[in-house]
Amino acid sequence: MKYTTLDGYLRKRRFNRTPEPPPKVTKVPGNRFVVQEHHARRLHWDFRLELDGVLKSWAVPKGPPEEPGIRRLAVEVEDHPVDYITFEGAIPKGEYGAGTVRIWDKGKFKLKRRTKDIYEFTLKGKRLIGKYALVRFKERNWLMLKSKQET
Ligand code: MN
């Protein structure tokens, strides 16, 4: 079996121990996003965009900005399977990412621009609404920012 971009996801987990969904790349295009509040060793929020048949994912230590003009560090993490978008629950002690996960926000996004280092999109969630960008500044480190201009 070959998991095109989910090798990293697969390698980190034991699916006989974690309730997380197994790796599976989908061919169905989508436009959903999710933010999962993850009470791991360090609390963080995982921001995920449904793209390329997977969830492109970033861990945001302070949470995604809800107000315009604020930027937050977002660390790129491994792609997750699309099925992860509904995942909530407890990752057992001793497993990768051990701790509870719950959905903090979800909704639809519209991609406006995408390069290797920049994603621009609008979000339509309950908490995250408006124009956002992710800008890479160093390797896996990005800034997530909410633009002042609403759309
Ligand atoms: Mn996480």
Side-chain angles (χ1 to χ4, degrees):
M1 261 195 269
K2 190 161 173 261
Y3 302 111
T4 45
T5 66
L6 293 174
D7 295 349
Y9 179 85
L10 172 66
R11 263 200 318 270
K12 291 181 154 117
R13 291 170 176 82
R14 297 187 281 192
F15 293 96
N16 56 340
R17 304 200 187 178
T18 179
E20 294 166 290
K24 190 179 90 193
V25 178
T26 169
K27 290 196 172 76
V28 186
N31 64 339
R32 293 173 295 167
F33 81 91
V34 71
V35 181
Q36 284 150 326
E37 185 177 328
H38 187 181
H39 291 257
R41 208 148 59 100
R42 278 192 201 148
L43 172 65
H44 61 273
W45 286 259
D46 290 299
F47 177 72
R48 311 189 198 278
L49 293 174
E50 190 177 18
L51 279 170
D52 309 334
V54 295
L55 299 176
K56 306 305 285 183
S57 298
W58 291 263
V60 188
K62 292 186 173 174
E66 292 178 78
E67 299 301 326
I70 293 175
R71 14 184 205 175
R72 293 279 166 79
L73 173 67
V75 180
E76 188 185 334
V77 297
E78 75 276 17
D79 293 342
H80 279 50
V82 167
D83 288 346
Y84 211 95
I85 206 156
T86 55
F87 177 71
E88 289 188 294
I91 301 167
K93 216 174 150 189
E95 299 307 304
Y96 180 74
T100 59
V101 175
R102 68 161 183 261
I103 293 174
W104 181 85
D105 198 16
K106 61 181 178 178
K108 298 284 169 69
F109 75 95
K110 195 177 277 181
L111 196 59
K112 300 290 183 185
R113 177 177 174 222
R114 183 189 187 184
T115 71
K116 193 171 73 67
D117 302 317
I118 299 171
Y119 290 71
E120 286 174 359
F121 47 89
T122 53
L123 296 178
K124 209 178 271 182
K126 289 243 165 68
R127 301 184 196 237
L128 302 184
I129 300 156
K131 209 174 165 190
Y132 280 82
L134 278 158
V135 181
R136 188 201 303 271
F137 66 92
K138 195 188 173 207
E139 292 160 12
R140 297 176 82 82
N141 292 337
W142 299 63
L143 284 175
M144 182 175 186
L145 47 105
K146 181 169 163 71
S147 159
K148 288 198 169 75
Q149 183 193 337
E150 297 285 325
T151 48

